[in-house]
């Protein structure tokens, strides 16, 4: 099975994003932490770099660079600010449904604006009463002539307060064939947002709740056919949600290692740096090993995706291992920092909080294990990454 190759283009892109993050994002992190408000200015600046269009075809103004390039972009931003890495990953996820299921008009209408950063898309699937159980959703869309009328609520919508168009999956019928997807512009009558509520981590990132009350949209805003909603939700989660969250966790993991190594080298104990102690070196080695393994799985999975190889299980496994090992390293980092890790004037405390935000989106660890068990048992029903004719 082919392994991932990082080309010169990949390395140039990594360096470009890294330098941008250090120059433009790093100086704003302290303010984002202090205010806990939605960071609009930096989010817009990041979008204007064109990175949301990493997987958008060049004919629509995108980079056409693929999923490995997308991973590098998210990872490098997340190493400096996981909140801003989350901004770009959420909008790339929002673009997925148009890339894969949009018709020619929808692609021409939306993808160029997404690619140049003038339009931030979101995806809205989760509901307060159903959580990750997609088929349990209650929000509805009813056809009335040339329009649909939408009602219901969607929660945990990434970029909710800065999004320009929301990809909403709602019920148009019963059962698994009764879900459909729609594009709802942020200024539509009947669409409102609940106020931003700061979370434990990812401060600066918007993750809000949409309220749809007799919200009318033209039938041309439906993505795909009626009944395609489940496929749109699942494929977006597998092909974009999981690898994107994996990339965020990689950036956090790298920052955890960097900060902990810096601390261990600077802190003096017993006449020398803390890093001279064998027990500390063992912990640092453990963190580095976890990071290297997580990165290898992540890059390999998205390389397969770029090659058109069926790789759902690889993407799922990369998300599971990437998040779990980052959380393990967060604890190890706190063990090395000891009481110093509890101080809010050090990055480690922020990184630990941010790491927990990668666990639930696109499926918790339990969900990933369930899907991997289905693979082991030969009971998988769909492979969204398989080539389509």
């Amino acid at each position: 099975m082919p392994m991932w190759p990082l080309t010169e283009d990949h390395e140039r892109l990594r360096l470009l994003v890294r330098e941008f993050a250090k120059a433009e994002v790093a100086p704003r992190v302290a303010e984002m932490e202090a205010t806990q408000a939605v960071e609009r200015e930096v989010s817009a600046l990041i979008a204007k770099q064109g990175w949301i269009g990493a997987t958008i075809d060049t004919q629509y103004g995108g980079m056409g660079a693929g999923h490995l390039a997308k991973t590098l972009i998210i990872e490098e931003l997340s190493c400096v600010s996981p909140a801003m890495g989350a901004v770009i990953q959420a909008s790339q996820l929002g673009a997925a449904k148009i890339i894969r299921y949009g018709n020619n008009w929808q692609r021409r209408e939306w993808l160029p604006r997404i690619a140049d950063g003038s339009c931030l898309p979101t995806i809205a699937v989760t509901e307060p009463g159903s959580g990750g159980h997609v088929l349990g959703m209650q929000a509805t869309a009813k056809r009335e002539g040339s329009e649909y009328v939408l009602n219901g609520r969607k929660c945990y919508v990434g970029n909710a307060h800065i999004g320009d168009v929301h990809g909403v999956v709602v019920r148009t019928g019963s059962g698994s064939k009764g879900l459909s997807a729609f594009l709802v512009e942020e200024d539509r009558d009947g669409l409102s947002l609940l106020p931003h509520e700061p979370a434990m981590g990812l401060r600066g990132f918007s993750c809000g709740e949409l309220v749809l009350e007799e919200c009318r949209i033209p039938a041309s805003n439906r993505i795909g056919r009626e009944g395609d909603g489940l496929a749109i939700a699942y494929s977006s989660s597998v092909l974009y949600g999981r690898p994107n969250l994996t990339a965020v966790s990689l950036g956090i993991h790298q920052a955890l290692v960097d900060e902990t190594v810096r601390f261990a080298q600077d802190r003096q104990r017993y006449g020398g740096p803390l890093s001279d102690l064998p027990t500390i070196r063992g912990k640092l080695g453990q963190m580095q090993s976890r990071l290297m393994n997580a990165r290898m799985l992540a890059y390999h999975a998205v390389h397969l995706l770029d090659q058109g190889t069926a790789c759902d299980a690889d993407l799922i496994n990369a998300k599971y291992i990437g998040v779990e090992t980052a959380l393990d390293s967060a604890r190890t980092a706190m063990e090395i920092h000891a009481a110093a890790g509890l101080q809010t004037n050090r990055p480690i405390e922020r990184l630990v909080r941010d790491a927990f935000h990668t666990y639930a989106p696109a499926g918790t660890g339990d969900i990933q294990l369930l899907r991997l068990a289905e693979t082991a048992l030969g009971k998988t029903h769909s492979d969204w990454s398989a080539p389509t004719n």
Side-chain angles (χ1 to χ4, degrees):
M1 190 173 292
M3 287 295 291
W4 45 268
L6 286 183
T7 65
E8 290 184 3
D9 286 343
H10 286 134
E11 296 294 357
R12 281 194 290 269
L13 177 63
R14 183 197 289 280
L15 182 60
L16 176 67
V17 180
R18 182 177 296 172
E19 293 302 317
F20 173 90
K22 289 179 180 178
E24 302 293 344
V25 181
R28 323 271 186 112
V29 171
E31 182 180 357
M32 286 190 279
E33 286 294 306
T35 65
Q36 301 188 39
V38 176
E39 177 47 63
R40 301 175 186 275
E41 183 179 338
V42 180
S43 299
L45 183 60
I46 292 172
K48 288 179 181 177
Q49 306 310 305
W51 295 327
I52 295 173
T55 62
I56 294 176
D57 195 278
T58 54
Q59 69 175 306
Y60 301 111
M63 294 173 61
H67 290 270
L68 181 51
K70 171 172 62 72
T71 294
L72 297 176
I73 292 167
I74 299 171
E75 179 186 0
E76 290 298 329
L77 285 171
S78 299
C79 191
V80 171
S81 170
M84 294 300 100
V87 166
I88 198 166
Q89 78 81 19
S91 278
Q92 289 175 339
L93 173 58
K97 58 194 176 297
I98 305 174
I99 295 172
R100 190 173 177 88
Y101 286 92
N103 58 36
N104 289 335
W105 176 82
Q106 289 166 341
R107 290 172 180 170
R108 290 194 303 270
E109 177 70 15
W110 294 105
L111 293 183
R113 286 188 275 164
I114 293 171
D116 69 18
S118 60
C119 173
L120 291 179
T122 79
I123 189 165
V125 177
T126 306
E127 296 183 5
S130 58
H133 177 42
V134 175
L135 290 178
M137 69 172 60
Q138 298 297 314
T140 62
K142 294 184 178 180
R143 183 76 180 251
E144 292 188 1
S146 61
E147 295 180 318
Y148 282 89
V149 183
L150 278 61
N151 284 282
R153 290 193 170 204
K154 294 292 178 180
C155 61
Y156 306 129
V157 179
N159 288 341
H161 295 85
I162 60 175
D164 298 293
V165 61
H166 305 289
V168 181
V169 179
V170 292
R171 284 213 161 275
T172 49
S174 60
S176 61
K177 298 295 185 181
L179 302 181
S180 302
F182 300 89
L183 294 170
V184 183
E185 298 90 337
E186 57 86 21
D187 58 354
R188 285 279 173 187
D189 290 340
L191 172 66
S192 59
L193 284 167
L194 296 188
H196 171 64
E197 294 285 347
M200 179 176 75
L202 296 187
R203 293 173 180 173
F205 177 61
S206 161
C207 189
E209 186 167 342
L210 305 180
V211 180
L212 298 157
E213 296 178 304
E214 296 295 301
C215 180
R216 291 182 174 272
I217 60 171
S220 59
N221 278 27
R222 189 187 70 221
I223 306 175
R225 300 163 299 181
E226 278 200 13
D228 283 346
L230 186 64
I232 291 171
Y234 279 179
S235 65
S236 297
S237 178
V238 172
L239 304 182
Y240 281 78
R242 285 174 171 88
N244 286 10
L245 269 295
T246 304
V248 175
S249 72
L250 274 181
I252 294 172
H253 206 158
Q254 182 67 65
L256 284 166
V257 171
D258 292 343
E259 290 297 333
T260 305
V261 166
R262 188 178 298 113
F263 175 83
Q265 290 176 329
D266 291 344
R267 183 59 58 102
Q268 297 293 306
R269 285 294 184 272
Y270 312 115
L274 194 63
S275 58
D276 282 352
L277 299 179
T279 53
I280 300 300
R281 287 203 169 195
K283 290 178 183 293
L284 291 174
Q286 194 174 40
M287 291 177 69
Q288 180 66 17
S289 176
R290 291 181 190 133
L291 173 61
M292 292 172 67
N293 289 335
R295 181 171 285 127
M296 180 177 295
L297 289 173
Y299 288 9
H300 179 58
V302 291
H303 171 62
L304 292 177
L305 188 56
D306 281 336
Q307 297 302 306
T309 303
C311 58
D312 284 24
D314 298 272
L315 296 167
I316 291 167
N317 186 52
K319 204 264 182 179
Y320 175 72
I321 296 297
V323 170
E324 294 293 335
T325 56
L327 289 172
D328 288 341
S329 287
R331 173 168 177 164
T332 304
M334 290 296 288
E335 290 171 354
I336 294 174
H337 280 77
L342 302 174
Q343 298 174 328
T344 58
N345 63 342
R346 294 181 181 276
I348 204 70
E349 180 266 348
R350 168 176 60 85
L351 293 169
V352 170
R353 286 188 285 105
D354 288 349
F356 279 93
H357 280 256
T358 64
Y359 181 77
T364 65
D366 289 335
I367 293 297
Q368 312 307 333
L369 291 177
L370 177 62
R371 297 292 172 254
L372 291 172
E374 291 173 349
T375 299
L377 293 167
K379 294 184 177 180
T380 52
H381 304 293
S382 300
D383 207 338
W384 301 108
S385 53
T388 56
N389 294 326

